[in-house]
Amino acid sequence: MHLAYPAVLSALLFCTGLYGVLARRNAILVLMSVELMLNAVNLNLVAFDVWLSKAAQETLHSGQALTLFTIAIAAAEIGIGLAIVLAVYRNRGTSDIDRLRDTAEGREPDGLDSDAPAAEKAEATA
């Protein structure tokens, strides 16, 4: 098999993951997109390891060993990431990244400033 096939597939996986990270608002979907990007890197590591080992008659398979480390790190990352998302969801009631950013900056999710007087808030919602 040519090296171009796994390289193109890896590029497609990475671009799909990048789009998911940039376009999604749900934190769990962002974590899944990061996993897609890591899997694209793993595919490249294995493909180039096989290609280079054929050329150099090397039996070390360092790309496959690095892939195992990447899988272990990705598993730890998704476990910790899901724990953080669940904790934030329990405290804030949402996992929408835009709403979480707005509440972290001190703005209310409706777009109203918390510094405005209560009468202006009542007029804006009426």
Side-chain angles (χ1 to χ4, degrees):
M1 179 176 9
H2 295 288
L3 184 61
Y5 297 133
V8 168
L9 179 63
S10 176
L12 290 174
L13 275 174
F14 192 85
C15 289
T16 303
L18 185 65
Y19 173 75
V21 167
L22 296 176
R24 298 293 178 189
R25 294 183 179 182
N26 192 344
I28 294 176
L29 292 177
V30 170
L31 286 174
M32 289 173 57
S33 298
V34 169
E35 290 295 320
L36 272 177
M37 292 168 65
L38 286 173
N39 285 330
V41 170
N42 288 340
L43 182 61
N44 264 339
L45 281 172
V46 171
F48 279 98
D49 178 51
V50 169
W51 183 65
L52 288 174
S53 68
K54 285 181 183 177
Q57 299 299 324
E58 180 185 316
T59 58
L60 186 60
H61 298 297
S62 57
Q64 294 177 15
L66 284 173
T67 298
L68 289 175
F69 284 117
T70 306
I71 290 171
I73 289 171
E77 175 255 336
I78 198 71
I80 292 171
L82 283 175
I84 291 171
V85 168
L86 286 174
V88 168
Y89 182 77
R90 285 183 185 156
N91 287 337
R92 304 274 175 107
T94 185
S95 63
D96 186 9
I97 294 175
D98 291 335
R99 288 186 185 174
L100 293 175
R101 184 181 59 221
D102 288 343
T103 57
E105 291 174 355
R107 291 183 285 179
E108 290 185 11
D110 296 330
L112 299 173
D113 269 346
S114 59
D115 296 335
E120 290 179 11
K121 286 183 185 179
E123 290 175 8
T125 57

